[in-house]
Amino acid sequence: MRLAADAPTPDWNLLEAAFECADPELRSYYDTVTGEVCMTGPFEDDPGERERIDADPQRYIEIEHVASRERYRWMERFALEEVADQRLRERLLRALTGSRVFRRFKDALLAAPSVRERWFVYHNSALRREIEQWFAERDLPVGTPPPWSRSPDDGAREERDGPA
């Protein structure tokens, strides 16, 4: 991800939501001028949003949702590589067969709260890598790095010394 002082600071939280969105009727766009994420669909907050995006297609880049097959791979890799308990691993892998695999996977994790928490950390990390890769592939500069890329010491140093 390329940093540039004159680049916009993306709305990182809305980017995460846009990448993770599973609703096929919603479309998300990154505004390369402001860093905002615009969403269009059947229940738009701003009915003029679609017209603004269509009027300036160079300014807005569509954000593709993370494909369900990729999210499936995250769950599979997590079960195979991150779960030491063989019985739980087998239960998670069984949940990944048949229908409603996303719901069944999460349900299987309910019996193991600490592993469930690790899943959410793993999932967030995978999602954030997707976002960073998306910016890198398009060579889109950002004004500030995403909050997740800062080390814990950065925040403590900023509090102590003030902004750099």
Side-chain angles (χ1 to χ4, degrees):
M1 186 175 301
R2 184 166 56 92
L3 293 175
D6 60 341
T9 295
D11 184 328
W12 299 111
N13 291 330
L14 276 180
L15 274 167
E16 286 183 273
F19 273 79
E20 193 165 37
C21 180
D23 186 338
E25 292 188 47
L26 289 178
R27 297 279 184 255
S28 301
Y29 298 86
Y30 176 70
D31 184 333
T32 60
V33 174
T34 66
E36 293 175 311
V37 175
C38 308
M39 295 187 183
T40 64
F43 304 107
E44 288 180 31
D45 289 338
D46 179 358
E49 193 93 85
R50 178 81 254 164
E51 288 77 17
R52 278 193 297 282
I53 292 167
D54 290 343
D56 196 354
Q58 300 301 317
R59 176 177 174 164
Y60 299 94
I61 300 173
E62 185 168 5
I63 300 168
E64 295 91 22
H65 307 165
V66 177
S68 59
R69 69 182 169 279
E70 183 62 24
R71 292 182 298 141
Y72 175 92
R73 284 188 208 116
W74 295 348
M75 294 185 299
E76 187 176 47
R77 276 195 301 265
F78 177 78
L80 291 170
E81 299 170 7
E82 304 292 328
V83 178
D85 180 303
Q86 184 174 347
R87 292 174 71 186
L88 177 59
R89 183 181 328 113
E90 289 171 4
R91 197 171 11 185
L92 290 171
L93 291 172
R94 269 195 312 275
L96 294 176
T97 61
S99 62
R100 301 183 56 196
V101 296
F102 296 100
R103 169 78 302 173
R104 292 184 18 223
F105 186 84
K106 289 179 183 176
D107 288 347
L109 285 169
L110 289 174
S114 64
V115 177
R116 184 174 184 267
E117 286 303 312
R118 285 195 357 250
W119 159 247
F120 287 120
V121 170
Y122 184 92
H123 171 271
N124 288 342
S125 177
L127 179 64
R128 291 165 176 173
R129 277 192 307 273
E130 286 282 327
I131 293 169
E132 290 174 2
Q133 182 178 342
W134 187 83
F135 275 92
E137 287 172 353
R138 288 154 184 78
D139 194 32
L140 289 172
V142 296
T144 59
W148 59 79
S149 70
R150 296 181 183 162
S151 74
D153 291 341
D154 289 347
R157 188 174 27 254
E158 216 172 269
E159 284 178 21
R160 193 177 55 244
D161 303 335

